[in-house]
Amino acid sequence: MSILDVLDTDDFEQLTLVRDPESGIRSAVAVHDTTMGPSLGGVRMRAYPTHDDAVRDALALARAMTVKSALAGLDLGGGKSVIDAEPTASNKARFLPVHARHIASLGGRYVPGADMGTDASDMEVLAKHVPVVSSRRAPSPFTARGVFRAVGATLEWAGERDLAGRRVAVQGLGKVGRALVTLLRRAGASVVVADVDDARVREARDTAGAVPVGADEILTADVDVLCPCAAGGVLTADVLAGLRARAVVSGANNPLATPGQAALLRERGVVYVPDFVANAGGVIACEAEVHGSDDGVDTKIEAIGVTAVEILDAAAARGTDTLTVAEEIARERLAARAAARPAFPAVP
Ligand code: NAI
């Protein structure tokens, strides 16, 4: 499908591309939907195989942000931007000011945040040109809290009283996974962990009482809940064949190697909470930054559990998988809001 076909098929509001010979930047900002509010999403900085890949990634990620924010009940739409370059210091020095001016030219329709290849210090650079910027504080503790809430709600939905004594596997002990381990251990869960970085595994074992397993064993560990918190695409057909977890609640974005695997999980009786539901704590924190107040953050993170249960119930009632149902519910919420008020702001 051509990029223009993607814009039509997925109802994109806006895609802007910048190619600036002076700096050498090649970048894109995708604004998928502003029905709920200004589009918010990270600035991804990465050298893509082709520039076409970069633009397609921005489009797919922006669309996912619309669904994530709608399901989290936020007054935010979905957007994302990419700078097609290695995230080196010299590239950042040349490209970030140009990218900031590109974002500023959109008049508030896109609010940037940190993503793969960018961090809070890069947001400070953007903030010199862009009035509203998110991720100036780390979103990961909020993301971990949301995943934790989704794990608890999923177990309750499956008939467990609480987390005490339940077994949870956490793949990846980075910013999200490590904080999640602490929350799970405090709630009395027994936690098995793996990371390709041995020092992180030792630290989680020694300070949180997590039990290390091999990086090649974690995804098929014999647990109640599996929480991928490393890279996306880890739930391949091979992993699904050996999966022993009763539920998958992912901190990592896009853990399924293909979307069709949500149906396979359902067929196998594995409860699957979509990543964009479970890991919405970060964007909830970003919304609070945009509004300049943390009022309501705790309630919205608690609501991640409610939304997870709503999706599990609806999938059971509609006889379909949770990924399909989650997207349907997001579309229903967007349609209801669109009917209630005009999009923000109208394109001049
Ligand atoms: P991070 O980069 O801090 O941590 C990732 C960890 O995974 C690292 O410790 C790395 O060594 C480990 N890892 C990589 N490959 C592995 C493998 N094959 N087996 C075991 N461990 C492996 O990343 P962060 O921020 O913790 O994010 C984790 C995931 O959650 C990513 O997919 C990210 O896109 C997603 N996410 C993060 C949010 C946040 O607030 N940081 C928000 C929403 C999603």
Side-chain angles (χ1 to χ4, degrees):
M1 204 190 280
S2 75
I3 284 173
L4 290 179
D5 286 340
V6 174
L7 294 176
D8 277 345
T9 307
D10 288 333
D11 276 334
F12 272 84
E13 289 181 15
Q14 192 172 16
L15 170 68
T16 51
L17 308 176
V18 163
R19 186 176 163 281
D20 171 42
E22 197 178 317
S23 64
I25 193 173
R26 283 163 77 81
S27 61
V29 177
V31 174
H32 176 246
D33 190 296
T34 58
T35 304
M36 297 294 196
S39 72
L40 185 144
V43 179
R44 183 161 290 196
M45 195 162 175
R46 197 191 139 187
Y48 286 86
T50 70
H51 195 51
D52 193 81
D53 292 330
V55 176
R56 286 177 191 277
D57 203 27
L59 293 172
L61 293 164
R63 186 176 173 283
M65 287 306 294
T66 301
V67 176
K68 184 184 286 200
S69 289
L71 287 173
L74 306 182
D75 289 330
L76 293 175
K80 203 86 179 186
S81 67
V82 294
I83 300 174
D84 186 2
E86 291 286 352
T88 59
S90 71
N91 279 345
K92 286 185 177 183
R94 277 189 299 150
F95 298 154
L96 285 176
V98 181
H99 196 54
R101 288 196 291 276
H102 178 182
I103 294 167
S105 76
L106 301 176
R109 292 173 53 75
Y110 168 65
V111 177
D115 197 82
M116 198 184 284
T118 58
D119 59 22
S121 67
D122 301 320
M123 296 306 110
E124 297 304 333
V125 176
L126 298 184
K128 290 185 185 140
H129 305 267
V130 180
V132 185
V133 165
S134 69
S135 311
R136 292 163 92 173
R137 69 166 163 189
S140 41
F142 299 90
T143 305
R145 281 173 55 197
V147 177
F148 173 72
R149 193 60 212 102
V151 169
T154 302
L155 284 170
E156 279 166 36
W157 185 83
E160 302 291 348
R161 212 158 45 91
D162 55 33
L163 265 159
R166 301 273 61 85
R167 281 169 58 83
V168 182
V170 178
Q171 181 201 37
L173 295 167
K175 296 181 286 297
V176 175
R178 181 63 187 85
L180 176 62
V181 168
T182 299
L183 295 170
L184 291 167
R185 292 289 296 142
R186 271 192 210 141
S190 104
V191 182
V192 294
V193 297
D195 197 294
V196 287
D197 181 338
D198 289 341
R200 291 186 173 186
V201 174
R202 280 195 301 274
E203 192 276 337
R205 180 195 62 194
D206 295 345
T207 63
V211 178
V213 299
D216 54 349
E217 297 167 72
I218 188 79
L219 295 171
T220 52
D222 185 8
V223 291
D224 296 295
V225 185
L226 168 65
C227 296
C229 292
V234 294
L235 297 177
T236 60
D238 281 353
V239 168
L240 290 199
L243 197 70
R244 286 188 285 172
R246 296 157 56 202
V248 177
V249 179
S250 185
N253 287 318
N254 304 324
L256 305 179
T258 65
Q261 281 167 336
L264 282 180
L265 285 168
R266 175 172 176 267
E267 278 166 27
R268 295 200 41 198
V270 179
V271 180
Y272 177 62
V273 176
D275 50 307
F276 47 79
V277 176
N279 70 20
V283 73
I284 289 170
C286 288
E287 186 201 44
E289 266 186 296
V290 169
H291 291 167
S293 161
D294 275 348
D295 288 354
V297 165
D298 291 347
T299 310
K300 284 173 181 166
I301 288 180
E302 278 301 301
I304 286 177
V306 177
T307 304
V309 166
E310 183 188 346
I311 287 166
L312 295 172
D313 281 341
R318 297 182 197 183
T320 185
D321 65 85
T322 49
L323 200 54
T324 304
V325 157
E327 295 222 356
E328 278 172 13
I329 293 175
R331 273 197 298 275
E332 288 160 11
R333 289 189 183 182
L334 287 164
R337 180 72 73 90
R341 71 172 203 211
F344 163 90
V347 181

